């Protein structure tokens, strides 16, 4: 995990602004869905990915998570056949 040195205050509704510099660096755009995860004492935000990163298959039953990215069974099998 990398420290940015940036500190922001929660507002009365529990909202906190992710600085524009970070949003731009990570390619987050207005309207993007963010997934909220908890890792130990940390709250982690990441862009919500609801489909396979390779073929856009969005059947949740066929999606697996690999290194923080979603991949469908079909694409996973194609990758395994490459080895
Ligand atoms: Zn796929």
């Amino acid at each position: 995990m990398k420290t940015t040195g940036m500190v922001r205050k929660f507002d009365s509704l529990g909202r906190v602004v992710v600085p524009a510099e970070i949003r731009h660096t990570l390619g987050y755009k207005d309207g993007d869905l963010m997934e909220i995860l908890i890792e130990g004492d940390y709250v982690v935000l990441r862009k919500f990915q609801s489909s396979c990163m390779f073929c856009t298959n969005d059947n949740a039953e066929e999606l697996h998570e690999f290194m923080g990215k979603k991949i469908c069974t079909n694409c996973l099998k194609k990758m395994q056949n490459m080895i």
Side-chain angles (χ1 to χ4, degrees):
M1 197 171 301
K2 183 176 167 185
T3 301
T4 65
M6 298 176 190
V7 177
R8 296 293 183 270
K9 187 184 286 188
F10 277 110
D11 72 9
S12 62
L13 296 176
R15 296 176 294 199
V16 64
V17 173
V18 176
E21 182 181 340
I22 292 175
R23 287 183 274 131
H24 295 156
T25 299
L26 297 176
Y28 297 166
K29 298 177 182 70
D30 291 356
D32 281 347
L33 291 175
M34 299 302 296
E35 187 173 15
I36 303 165
L37 304 99
I38 296 173
E39 186 172 325
D41 292 340
Y42 299 99
V43 175
V44 179
L45 296 175
R46 69 179 178 190
K47 189 186 283 190
F48 180 67
Q49 185 185 1
S50 62
S51 61
C52 175
M53 64 180 293
F54 296 110
C55 73
T56 69
N57 178 346
D58 62 358
N59 182 345
E61 292 179 8
E62 295 181 15
L63 292 177
H64 311 273
E65 187 164 319
F66 179 68
M67 298 180 76
K69 305 288 184 186
K70 299 271 172 61
I71 181 170
C72 74
T73 301
N74 193 35
C75 288
L76 189 60
K77 286 179 181 173
K78 286 180 183 175
M79 290 177 72
Q80 289 171 331
N81 289 336
M82 293 177 64
I83 299 173

